[in-house]
Amino acid sequence: MTTPGYGETSVHYYPEIGRWMLLAEESLPTSNRIVAHFAAQPGGPWSAAVTVADMGDPSFRQKYCCTTDDACDGAQMFNCDRTGFYGSYLFPSVQYAAADHTFTATYTLSSFSPYNVALFQTTFTE
């Protein structure tokens, strides 16, 4: 994984799904996003990136980005024009739903302007 601007990684093994999960920041010229990769072994091979949060995505911006220089509040906790993601750290377990072959990962997501740490969840399909 040699993507420019790639960092802030968190890696955890989840026995519930029998896989390793890597969560990382990927900073691109047009976007700052958090991506997930999966592997059966810690040395890989790792899956292609799955985007879990993207400051360049209009639906993410509408839901989570404040638009003024005032303090962000509520769900609009990031000033996406001034900040970037970092500190996307995985929690130690996932919620597995065998009936529909999905699992939900919980992780923190931080920003630096304004400084904020939020709890996020993303559901993946096996």
Side-chain angles (χ1 to χ4, degrees):
M1 292 181 229
T2 58
T3 304
Y6 195 78
E8 292 289 326
T9 60
S10 177
V11 180
H12 194 79
Y13 178 73
Y14 293 112
E16 301 92 338
I17 60 172
R19 283 186 263 165
W20 290 83
M21 181 176 176
L22 178 141
L23 204 60
E25 174 204 13
E26 188 175 82
S27 193
L28 305 169
T30 58
S31 178
N32 178 252
R33 61 187 181 171
I34 301 299
V35 296
H37 296 270
F38 300 92
Q41 300 295 320
W46 290 89
S47 71
V50 176
T51 301
V52 297
D54 186 346
M55 283 192 182
D57 177 19
S59 61
F60 181 90
R61 292 181 71 85
Q62 182 177 16
K63 185 172 183 178
Y64 296 110
C65 297
C66 60
T67 57
T68 68
D69 286 335
D70 297 332
C72 298
D73 62 355
Q76 292 184 315
M77 62 191 94
F78 304 114
N79 186 324
C80 295
D81 294 329
R82 294 191 328 215
T83 195
F85 291 129
Y86 73 95
S88 55
Y89 299 115
L90 292 163
F91 276 45
S93 64
V94 294
Q95 299 163 341
Y96 181 69
D100 60 2
H101 303 284
T102 63
F103 58 95
T104 301
T106 302
Y107 53 96
T108 60
L109 195 53
S110 302
S111 70
F112 52 82
S113 182
Y115 177 77
N116 211 339
V117 179
L119 188 63
F120 272 73
Q121 289 186 315
T122 299
T123 299
F124 301 90
T125 302
E126 283 191 285

